[in-house]
Amino acid sequence: MNAAMLGPLVAAVLVAAIARHHQLSAPLVLVITGLLVGLIPAVPEITLRPDLVLFVILPPLLWSAGLESSFISMRRNKRPILLLAVGLPMATTVAVGAVAYFTVPAMTPAAALTLGAVVAPPDAVAATAIGRRLGLPRRIMTLLSGESLLNDATALTLYKVALAAAIGAATGWGMGLATFAMAAVGGAVTGVVFGSLIVIIRARLSDPLVESAVGLVAPFVIYLVAEEIHGSGVLAVVVAALMLGQRFTRAHHATRLQDQAVWRALQFLLESLAFLLIGLQLPTVVQDMRGVRFSTLTLASLAVFGTVLVVRAVWMVVFAYAPRSLSAKIRQGEPAPTHGQVLVLSWAGMRGVVSLAAAFGVPLTTLSGEPFPGRPQLVFLTFVVVIGTLLLHGLTLPWMIRRLGVQSEQARADALASANAQDKAARAAANRLDELLASTEPSPASERAAEALRGWNTRRRNAARERLRRFDPGAESNSDETAAAAFRRLRLEMLIAERAALITERDQGRIDDQVLRALMYRLDLEEAALNVD
């Protein structure tokens, strides 16, 4: 990342922070801001560099999403995820390619298929950023995250095959299938090898700082190695991240706390930059369209954009209901999707920065030295699809979710499951305490400690049940405060006083900053535990 990107990076963080402060959709605000800023003549032109997106922005975002994803949930939903991540990009590539070939005279069949592969995948950045903010139900988020993690591998591999045919580097279905198979196998093997290696390395480390540093470097190395051996860098990073995410319980608690903070900050930074860069591409895209007839461009834009929407909607409806009607095994093994869930999934296909990076990565000429057929139109149509889906879906999806009430039942079910799990954990802790006390000689000190621990354990059990009250329409008002709620409120006020006293001690020279940081860290951990929801 060179100095020219420092300004957009700082601006992206500031705009995203303002949007979050006002509870607005940061991705949408960033895209619109980029569009408006790009129209200002005095602003220097910033062209999206494909290598910046594919080798700097994409790997850590995929890694972070993979760490947060549930391998168990993805395996439980493997059939619909594979249909979304493999089947849907293929169908979109073919459909968009056919429409583009007949509506853009300058495009050859291979160039049109290249466009189809470029706009095929809903972007991992867009899906995870907007999906988290909307609070979608867990199964929908599992499907969306699984799709967004894997469909880039499918689409970018199709992109390589179609692009090679368009520039004259490859011909025939056999070579295309071989390229696809090599990318899939090479990416999966690379991911497994590096994932296993990182698991072994981190298991032998006892320094949380070094463990986090290994995790920060890993996605870049894995992506680069996979691409160098002609495998899928996307698939390699995702496979390794899923392996590490499945084993997060084995990490030291300090490593987990540190990783969570580091990756959330890095994710926020890179997502903000990505969405701002999308909007800033408008001047470059428009400038390249000089000399193209407006009527042809309008027809092609409407046709391609409409095809992207229709293919996803039809695919969702067909594969949500048709397999269930044909297979008793599917009906027994998978929960039936509601109409609202199907609508939300079909309307959550935002495209993003990866599509634009792939479009800008199309070479200007073929191997014969001729101009790449329809490259300006390809880049422009990609921009139309990306901006159109981000604005259309991003602005209307929250309304659709509220209208359909998709998230309400899942939220209550999660709270109930959490409360039950917390109750079992607290009982196990109480039983273990009783075993320890029975195996040692009683003393006044141990009795006092046991009494304090039992009270603390009871408060945690009550706090878990307290969180269920928000889902009960007949719950009493906050004026009738439970013991758990009162404990939390009073303890938070006590923590404020403790911090103020510690800061005073530092300001008066009785402790130094290093001691203060250590004491504040302990208070921060306690406050974080009190605020776990």
Side-chain angles (χ1 to χ4, degrees), residues 283-350:
T284 301
V285 173
V286 172
Q287 183 179 1
D288 291 341
M289 293 311 299
R290 292 176 181 174
V292 180
R293 293 179 58 183
F294 179 78
S295 58
T296 301
L297 204 58
T298 302
L299 175 62
S301 298
L302 293 175
V304 170
F305 184 67
T307 301
V308 169
L309 299 183
V310 171
V311 169
R312 183 175 181 86
V314 172
W315 187 274
M316 289 295 176
V317 173
V318 170
F319 286 98
Y321 300 113
R324 297 186 61 83
S325 64
L326 299 174
S327 172
K329 182 179 180 180
I330 293 177
R331 289 195 297 272
Q332 296 172 359
E334 296 178 6
T338 65
H339 296 313
Q341 290 174 339
V342 174
L343 287 173
V344 168
L345 282 170
S346 65
W347 205 244
M350 288 79 68

Coordinates of all heavy atoms in Angstrom, one line a residue, residues 283-350:
P283 N -15.1 8.1 -11.7 CA -14.5 8.9 -12.8 C -13.7 8.0 -13.8 O -13.8 8.2 -15.0 CB -13.5 9.9 -12.0 CG -14.0 9.9 -10.7 CD -14.6 8.6 -10.4
T284 N -13.0 7.1 -13.3 CA -12.2 6.2 -14.2 C -13.1 5.4 -15.1 O -12.9 5.3 -16.3 CB -11.3 5.2 -13.4 OG1 -10.5 6.0 -12.5 CG2 -10.5 4.3 -14.3
V285 N -14.2 4.9 -14.5 CA -15.1 4.1 -15.3 C -15.9 4.9 -16.4 O -16.0 4.5 -17.5 CB -16.2 3.4 -14.3 CG1 -17.2 2.7 -15.1 CG2 -15.4 2.4 -13.4
V286 N -16.3 6.1 -16.0 CA -17.0 6.9 -16.9 C -16.1 7.4 -18.0 O -16.5 7.5 -19.2 CB -17.7 8.1 -16.2 CG1 -18.3 9.1 -17.2 CG2 -18.7 7.6 -15.2
Q287 N -14.9 7.7 -17.7 CA -13.9 8.2 -18.7 C -13.7 7.2 -19.8 O -13.5 7.5 -21.0 CB -12.6 8.6 -18.0 CG -11.6 9.2 -19.0 CD -10.3 9.6 -18.2 OE1 -10.2 9.4 -17.0 NE2 -9.4 10.2 -19.0
D288 N -13.6 5.9 -19.4 CA -13.4 4.9 -20.4 C -14.5 4.6 -21.3 O -14.4 3.9 -22.3 CB -13.0 3.6 -19.6 CG -11.7 3.7 -18.9 OD1 -10.9 4.5 -19.3 OD2 -11.4 2.9 -18.0
M289 N -15.7 5.2 -21.0 CA -16.9 4.9 -21.8 C -17.1 5.9 -22.9 O -18.2 5.9 -23.6 CB -18.1 4.8 -20.9 CG -18.1 3.6 -20.0 SD -17.7 2.1 -20.8 CE -19.1 2.0 -22.0
R290 N -16.2 6.8 -23.1 CA -16.3 7.8 -24.2 C -16.4 7.1 -25.6 O -15.6 6.3 -25.9 CB -15.2 8.8 -24.1 CG -15.2 9.7 -22.9 CD -14.0 10.6 -22.9 NE -14.0 11.4 -21.7 CZ -13.0 12.3 -21.3 NH1 -11.9 12.3 -22.1 NH2 -13.1 13.0 -20.3
G291 N -17.3 7.5 -26.4 CA -17.5 6.9 -27.7 C -18.5 5.8 -27.8 O -18.8 5.3 -28.9
V292 N -18.9 5.3 -26.6 CA -19.9 4.2 -26.6 C -21.3 4.8 -26.7 O -21.6 5.7 -25.9 CB -19.7 3.3 -25.4 CG1 -20.7 2.2 -25.4 CG2 -18.3 2.7 -25.3
R293 N -22.2 4.2 -27.5 CA -23.5 4.8 -27.6 C -24.3 4.6 -26.3 O -24.3 3.5 -25.7 CB -24.2 4.0 -28.8 CG -23.7 4.3 -30.2 CD -24.4 3.5 -31.2 NE -25.9 3.9 -31.2 CZ -26.8 3.3 -32.0 NH1 -26.4 2.4 -32.8 NH2 -28.0 3.7 -31.9
F294 N -25.0 5.7 -26.0 CA -25.7 5.7 -24.7 C -26.8 4.6 -24.7 O -27.1 4.0 -23.7 CB -26.3 7.1 -24.5 CG -27.1 7.2 -23.2 CD1 -26.5 7.3 -22.0 CD2 -28.5 7.2 -23.2 CE1 -27.2 7.4 -20.8 CE2 -29.2 7.2 -22.1 CZ -28.6 7.4 -20.8
S295 N -27.5 4.5 -25.8 CA -28.6 3.5 -25.9 C -28.1 2.1 -25.7 O -28.8 1.3 -25.0 CB -29.4 3.7 -27.2 OG -28.5 3.4 -28.3
T296 N -27.0 1.8 -26.3 CA -26.5 0.4 -26.2 C -26.0 0.2 -24.7 O -26.3 -0.9 -24.2 CB -25.2 0.3 -27.1 OG1 -25.6 0.5 -28.5 CG2 -24.6 -1.1 -27.0
L297 N -25.4 1.2 -24.1 CA -24.9 1.1 -22.7 C -26.1 0.9 -21.8 O -26.1 0.1 -20.9 CB -24.1 2.3 -22.4 CG -23.1 2.2 -21.3 CD1 -22.1 1.1 -21.6 CD2 -22.4 3.5 -21.0
T298 N -27.2 1.7 -22.0 CA -28.3 1.6 -21.1 C -29.0 0.2 -21.2 O -29.3 -0.4 -20.2 CB -29.4 2.7 -21.5 OG1 -28.7 4.0 -21.4 CG2 -30.6 2.6 -20.6
L299 N -29.2 -0.3 -22.4 CA -29.8 -1.6 -22.6 C -29.0 -2.7 -22.0 O -29.5 -3.6 -21.3 CB -30.0 -1.9 -24.1 CG -30.5 -3.3 -24.5 CD1 -31.9 -3.5 -23.9 CD2 -30.5 -3.4 -26.0
A300 N -27.7 -2.6 -22.2 CA -26.8 -3.7 -21.6 C -26.8 -3.6 -20.1 O -26.8 -4.6 -19.4 CB -25.4 -3.5 -22.2
S301 N -26.8 -2.4 -19.6 CA -26.8 -2.2 -18.1 C -28.0 -2.8 -17.5 O -28.0 -3.6 -16.5 CB -26.7 -0.8 -17.7 OG -25.4 -0.2 -18.2
L302 N -29.2 -2.5 -18.0 CA -30.4 -3.0 -17.5 C -30.5 -4.5 -17.7 O -31.0 -5.2 -16.7 CB -31.6 -2.3 -18.2 CG -31.8 -0.8 -18.0 CD1 -32.9 -0.3 -18.8 CD2 -32.1 -0.6 -16.5
A303 N -30.1 -5.0 -18.8 CA -30.1 -6.5 -19.1 C -29.2 -7.2 -18.1 O -29.6 -8.2 -17.5 CB -29.8 -6.7 -20.5
V304 N -28.0 -6.8 -18.0 CA -27.0 -7.5 -17.1 C -27.4 -7.4 -15.6 O -27.4 -8.4 -14.9 CB -25.6 -7.0 -17.3 CG1 -24.7 -7.5 -16.3 CG2 -25.1 -7.3 -18.7
F305 N -27.8 -6.2 -15.2 CA -28.2 -6.1 -13.8 C -29.5 -6.9 -13.5 O -29.6 -7.6 -12.5 CB -28.5 -4.6 -13.5 CG -28.8 -4.3 -12.1 CD1 -27.9 -4.4 -11.1 CD2 -30.1 -3.8 -11.7 CE1 -28.1 -4.2 -9.8 CE2 -30.4 -3.6 -10.4 CZ -29.4 -3.7 -9.4
G306 N -30.4 -6.9 -14.4 CA -31.6 -7.6 -14.2 C -31.4 -9.1 -14.2 O -31.9 -9.9 -13.4
T307 N -30.4 -9.6 -15.0 CA -30.1 -11.0 -15.1 C -29.5 -11.4 -13.8 O -29.8 -12.5 -13.3 CB -29.1 -11.3 -16.2 OG1 -29.7 -10.9 -17.5 CG2 -28.7 -12.7 -16.3
V308 N -28.6 -10.6 -13.2 CA -28.0 -10.9 -11.9 C -29.0 -11.1 -10.9 O -29.0 -12.1 -10.1 CB -27.0 -9.9 -11.5 CG1 -26.5 -10.0 -10.1 CG2 -25.8 -9.9 -12.5
L309 N -30.0 -10.3 -10.8 CA -31.1 -10.3 -9.8 C -32.0 -11.6 -10.0 O -32.3 -12.3 -9.1 CB -31.9 -9.1 -9.8 CG -31.2 -7.7 -9.5 CD1 -32.2 -6.6 -9.5 CD2 -30.5 -7.8 -8.2
V310 N -32.4 -11.7 -11.3 CA -33.3 -12.8 -11.6 C -32.7 -14.2 -11.4 O -33.4 -15.1 -10.8 CB -33.8 -12.7 -13.0 CG1 -34.7 -13.9 -13.4 CG2 -34.7 -11.4 -13.2
V311 N -31.5 -14.4 -11.8 CA -30.8 -15.7 -11.7 C -30.8 -16.1 -10.2 O -31.1 -17.2 -9.8 CB -29.4 -15.7 -12.3 CG1 -28.7 -17.0 -11.9 CG2 -29.6 -15.6 -13.8
R312 N -30.4 -15.1 -9.3 CA -30.3 -15.5 -7.9 C -31.6 -15.8 -7.3 O -31.8 -16.7 -6.6 CB -29.6 -14.3 -7.1 CG -29.4 -14.6 -5.7 CD -28.7 -13.5 -4.9 NE -28.5 -13.9 -3.5 CZ -27.5 -14.6 -3.0 NH1 -26.5 -15.1 -3.9 NH2 -27.4 -14.9 -1.8
A313 N -32.6 -15.0 -7.7 CA -34.0 -15.2 -7.1 C -34.5 -16.6 -7.6 O -35.1 -17.3 -6.8 CB -34.9 -14.1 -7.6
V314 N -34.4 -16.9 -8.9 CA -34.9 -18.2 -9.4 C -34.1 -19.3 -8.7 O -34.7 -20.3 -8.4 CB -34.8 -18.2 -10.9 CG1 -35.1 -19.6 -11.4 CG2 -35.7 -17.2 -11.5
W315 N -32.8 -19.2 -8.7 CA -32.0 -20.2 -8.1 C -32.4 -20.5 -6.6 O -32.6 -21.7 -6.2 CB -30.5 -19.8 -8.1 CG -29.6 -20.9 -7.7 CD1 -29.2 -21.2 -6.4 CD2 -28.9 -21.9 -8.5 NE1 -28.3 -22.3 -6.4 CE2 -28.1 -22.7 -7.7 CE3 -28.9 -22.1 -9.9 CZ2 -27.4 -23.7 -8.2 CZ3 -28.1 -23.1 -10.4 CH2 -27.4 -23.9 -9.5
M316 N -32.7 -19.4 -5.8 CA -33.1 -19.6 -4.5 C -34.4 -20.3 -4.3 O -34.6 -21.3 -3.5 CB -33.2 -18.2 -3.8 CG -31.9 -17.6 -3.5 SD -30.8 -18.5 -2.3 CE -29.4 -17.5 -2.4
V317 N -35.4 -19.9 -5.1 CA -36.7 -20.5 -5.1 C -36.7 -22.0 -5.5 O -37.2 -22.9 -4.8 CB -37.7 -19.8 -5.9 CG1 -39.0 -20.5 -6.0 CG2 -37.9 -18.4 -5.4
V318 N -36.0 -22.3 -6.6 CA -35.9 -23.6 -7.1 C -35.3 -24.6 -6.2 O -35.8 -25.7 -5.8 CB -35.2 -23.7 -8.5 CG1 -35.0 -25.1 -8.9 CG2 -36.1 -23.0 -9.5
F319 N -34.1 -24.2 -5.7 CA -33.3 -25.1 -4.8 C -33.7 -25.0 -3.4 O -33.1 -25.8 -2.6 CB -31.8 -24.9 -5.0 CG -31.3 -25.4 -6.4 CD1 -31.2 -24.5 -7.4 CD2 -31.1 -26.7 -6.5 CE1 -30.7 -25.0 -8.7 CE2 -30.6 -27.2 -7.8 CZ -30.5 -26.4 -8.8
A320 N -34.6 -24.2 -3.0 CA -35.1 -24.2 -1.6 C -36.2 -25.2 -1.5 O -36.4 -25.8 -0.4 CB -35.6 -22.8 -1.2
Y321 N -37.0 -25.4 -2.6 CA -38.2 -26.2 -2.5 C -38.1 -27.5 -3.3 O -38.6 -28.5 -2.9 CB -39.4 -25.4 -2.9 CG -39.6 -24.1 -2.0 CD1 -39.5 -22.9 -2.6 CD2 -40.0 -24.3 -0.7 CE1 -39.7 -21.7 -1.8 CE2 -40.2 -23.1 0.1 CZ -40.0 -21.9 -0.5 OH -40.2 -20.8 0.3
A322 N -37.5 -27.4 -4.5 CA -37.5 -28.6 -5.4 C -36.8 -29.8 -4.8 O -37.4 -30.9 -4.8 CB -36.9 -28.2 -6.7
P323 N -35.6 -29.7 -4.2 CA -35.0 -30.9 -3.6 C -35.8 -31.5 -2.5 O -35.8 -32.7 -2.3 CB -33.6 -30.3 -3.1 CG -33.4 -29.1 -4.0 CD -34.7 -28.5 -4.2
R324 N -36.4 -30.6 -1.7 CA -37.2 -31.1 -0.6 C -38.4 -31.9 -1.0 O -38.8 -32.9 -0.4 CB -37.7 -30.0 0.3 CG -36.6 -29.2 1.0 CD -37.1 -28.2 2.0 NE -37.9 -28.9 3.0 CZ -37.4 -29.4 4.1 NH1 -36.1 -29.4 4.3 NH2 -38.2 -30.0 5.0
S325 N -39.0 -31.5 -2.1 CA -40.2 -32.2 -2.7 C -39.8 -33.5 -3.3 O -40.6 -34.4 -3.5 CB -40.9 -31.3 -3.7 OG -40.1 -31.1 -4.8
L326 N -38.5 -33.7 -3.7 CA -38.1 -34.9 -4.4 C -37.3 -35.9 -3.5 O -37.2 -37.0 -3.9 CB -37.1 -34.5 -5.6 CG -37.7 -33.6 -6.7 CD1 -36.6 -33.2 -7.7 CD2 -38.9 -34.3 -7.4
S327 N -36.9 -35.4 -2.4 CA -36.0 -36.3 -1.5 C -36.5 -36.3 -0.1 O -36.6 -35.2 0.6 CB -34.6 -35.8 -1.6 OG -33.8 -36.6 -0.6
A328 N -36.9 -37.5 0.4 CA -37.3 -37.6 1.8 C -36.1 -37.4 2.8 O -36.3 -36.9 3.9 CB -38.0 -38.9 2.0
K329 N -35.0 -37.8 2.3 CA -33.8 -37.7 3.1 C -33.5 -36.2 3.4 O -33.1 -35.8 4.5 CB -32.6 -38.3 2.4 CG -31.3 -38.2 3.2 CD -30.1 -38.9 2.4 CE -28.8 -38.9 3.2 NZ -27.7 -39.5 2.5
I330 N -33.6 -35.3 2.4 CA -33.4 -33.9 2.6 C -34.5 -33.3 3.6 O -34.2 -32.5 4.4 CB -33.4 -33.2 1.3 CG1 -32.2 -33.6 0.4 CG2 -33.4 -31.6 1.5 CD1 -32.2 -33.0 -0.9
R331 N -35.7 -33.8 3.4 CA -36.8 -33.3 4.3 C -36.5 -33.6 5.7 O -36.8 -32.9 6.6 CB -38.1 -33.9 3.8 CG -38.7 -33.3 2.5 CD -40.1 -33.6 2.3 NE -40.4 -35.1 2.2 CZ -40.3 -35.8 1.1 NH1 -40.0 -35.2 0.0 NH2 -40.6 -37.1 1.1
Q332 N -35.9 -34.8 6.0 CA -35.7 -35.2 7.3 C -34.4 -34.6 7.9 O -34.3 -34.4 9.1 CB -35.6 -36.8 7.4 CG -36.9 -37.5 7.0 CD -36.7 -39.0 6.9 OE1 -35.6 -39.5 7.0 NE2 -37.8 -39.7 6.6
G333 N -33.4 -34.3 7.0 CA -32.1 -33.9 7.5 C -31.9 -32.4 7.6 O -31.0 -31.9 8.2
E334 N -32.8 -31.6 6.9 CA -32.6 -30.2 6.9 C -33.9 -29.5 7.3 O -35.0 -30.0 6.9 CB -32.2 -29.7 5.5 CG -30.9 -30.1 5.1 CD -30.6 -29.6 3.7 OE1 -31.4 -28.8 3.1 OE2 -29.5 -30.1 3.1
P335 N -33.9 -28.4 8.1 CA -35.1 -27.7 8.5 C -35.7 -27.0 7.3 O -35.0 -26.6 6.4 CB -34.6 -26.7 9.5 CG -33.2 -26.5 9.2 CD -32.7 -27.8 8.7
A336 N -37.0 -27.0 7.2 CA -37.7 -26.4 6.1 C -37.5 -24.9 6.1 O -37.7 -24.2 7.2 CB -39.2 -26.7 6.1
P337 N -37.1 -24.3 5.0 CA -36.9 -22.8 5.0 C -38.3 -22.1 4.9 O -39.2 -22.6 4.3 CB -36.1 -22.6 3.7 CG -36.5 -23.7 2.8 CD -36.8 -24.9 3.7
T338 N -38.4 -21.0 5.6 CA -39.6 -20.2 5.5 C -39.5 -19.3 4.2 O -38.5 -19.1 3.7 CB -39.8 -19.3 6.7 OG1 -38.7 -18.3 6.7 CG2 -39.7 -20.2 8.0
H339 N -40.7 -18.8 3.8 CA -40.8 -18.0 2.7 C -39.9 -16.7 2.9 O -39.3 -16.2 2.0 CB -42.2 -17.6 2.3 CG -43.0 -18.8 1.9 ND1 -42.6 -19.7 1.0 CD2 -44.3 -19.1 2.3 CE1 -43.5 -20.6 0.8 NE2 -44.6 -20.3 1.6
G340 N -40.0 -16.2 4.2 CA -39.2 -15.0 4.5 C -37.7 -15.3 4.4 O -37.0 -14.4 3.9
Q341 N -37.2 -16.4 4.8 CA -35.8 -16.7 4.7 C -35.4 -16.8 3.3 O -34.3 -16.3 2.9 CB -35.5 -18.1 5.4 CG -35.6 -18.0 7.0 CD -35.5 -19.3 7.6 OE1 -35.6 -20.4 7.0 NE2 -35.1 -19.3 8.9
V342 N -36.2 -17.4 2.4 CA -35.8 -17.5 1.0 C -35.8 -16.2 0.4 O -34.9 -15.9 -0.4 CB -36.9 -18.4 0.3 CG1 -36.6 -18.4 -1.2 CG2 -36.8 -19.8 0.8
L343 N -36.7 -15.3 0.7 CA -36.7 -13.9 0.1 C -35.5 -13.2 0.6 O -34.9 -12.4 -0.2 CB -38.0 -13.2 0.6 CG -39.3 -13.6 -0.1 CD1 -40.5 -12.9 0.5 CD2 -39.2 -13.3 -1.6
V344 N -35.2 -13.3 1.9 CA -34.0 -12.5 2.4 C -32.7 -13.0 1.7 O -31.8 -12.3 1.3 CB -33.9 -12.7 3.9 CG1 -32.5 -12.2 4.4 CG2 -35.0 -11.9 4.6
L345 N -32.6 -14.4 1.6 CA -31.4 -14.9 0.9 C -31.3 -14.5 -0.5 O -30.2 -14.1 -1.0 CB -31.4 -16.4 1.0 CG -31.0 -17.1 2.3 CD1 -31.3 -18.6 2.3 CD2 -29.5 -16.8 2.6
S346 N -32.4 -14.4 -1.2 CA -32.4 -14.0 -2.6 C -32.1 -12.5 -2.8 O -31.6 -12.1 -3.8 CB -33.7 -14.4 -3.3 OG -34.8 -13.6 -2.7
W347 N -32.4 -11.8 -1.7 CA -32.2 -10.3 -1.8 C -30.9 -9.9 -1.1 O -30.7 -8.7 -0.9 CB -33.4 -9.6 -1.2 CG -33.6 -8.2 -1.7 CD1 -33.6 -7.1 -0.9 CD2 -34.0 -7.8 -3.0 NE1 -33.8 -6.0 -1.7 CE2 -34.1 -6.4 -3.0 CE3 -34.1 -8.5 -4.2 CZ2 -34.4 -5.7 -4.1 CZ3 -34.5 -7.8 -5.3 CH2 -34.6 -6.4 -5.3
A348 N -30.0 -10.8 -0.8 CA -28.8 -10.5 0.0 C -27.6 -10.7 -0.9 O -26.5 -11.0 -0.4 CB -28.7 -11.3 1.2
G349 N -27.7 -10.5 -2.2 CA -26.6 -10.8 -3.1 C -25.8 -9.5 -3.5 O -25.6 -9.3 -4.7
M350 N -25.4 -8.8 -2.5 CA -24.6 -7.6 -2.8 C -23.2 -8.0 -3.4 O -22.5 -8.9 -2.9 CB -24.3 -6.8 -1.5 CG -25.5 -6.0 -1.0 SD -26.7 -7.1 -0.1 CE -25.8 -7.5 1.3

